[in-house]
Amino acid sequence: GNAFGPVETVLKKEQDAVRLYDANKARSWKISNAEGKLNSITGKPTAFKLVPFTSGAAGPTVLTHDTSSVSKKGAFAQAHLWVTPFDEKERYPAGEYTPQSLEQDGLPKWIKGNRNLEAENIVLWHSFGVTHVPRVEDFPIMNVEHTGFTLKPDGFFDGNPAIDIAPDVNKGSKLNTPGCCSS
């Protein structure tokens, strides 16, 4: 058929919340407080919607081999989304002292406990980047590569808040009324 709709999955535990972006499914993530304010029209909690790769091409996760030091120390880059309960000691996705670290630290280590996410103060870790394959045109100075994301409010209003904006008046336009511009 022609109909389709979003599929919502509640990410209840840390290990459930290690996610990959999928452009074929227009994947995005909503961050909501199930115990918070409900939208009067949808009946759903207000939320923020994280839409990945709204600027530039969608990038893959880290492409280095799993056994490389880059992949080991930057293991957080193997997924586009991680969610953890807030812990003031967990400040950097690769861990506190990445260059000096002899073991894997950061997000992969923190989520091993598979802590609960529901009704918790959470931290959303969005990992994104670009894969630069050098071209002749990049030498000696590489052009810019664009990437980005959008964080949109979802369900905070009962309609489009911009609808009450007065329309612009084009002062160059003239009303076509009888007697005007006739010969």
Side-chain angles (χ1 to χ4, degrees), residues 1-23:
N2 294 328
F4 65 91
V7 176
E8 293 188 6
T9 304
V10 177
L11 306 175
K12 297 179 180 187
K13 297 278 199 171
E14 286 177 304
Q15 292 177 9
D16 299 333
V18 179
R19 312 296 282 187
L20 292 173
Y21 173 69
D22 186 349

Side-chain angles (χ1 to χ4, degrees), residues 144-168:
V144 67
E145 291 276 352
H146 291 276
T147 191
F149 65 92
T150 302
L151 194 58
K152 298 179 176 185
D154 187 294
F156 283 85
F157 301 101
D158 293 332
N160 184 337
I163 281 233
D164 64 350
I165 295 176
D168 282 343

Side-chain angles (χ1 to χ4, degrees), residues 72-77 82 84-101 103-111 115 123-127:
K72 286 180 181 176
K73 291 184 179 194
F76 68 90
W82 304 72
T84 60
F86 175 76
D87 182 334
E88 65 182 26
K89 295 182 297 280
E90 297 174 355
R91 302 186 313 161
Y92 307 107
E96 195 74 26
Y97 303 104
T98 308
Q100 294 85 10
S101 176
E103 63 180 46
Q104 189 178 59
D105 199 8
L107 287 167
K109 184 177 179 181
W110 301 336
I111 68 158
R115 296 170 288 185
V123 178
L124 186 78
W125 306 84
H126 178 38
S127 177

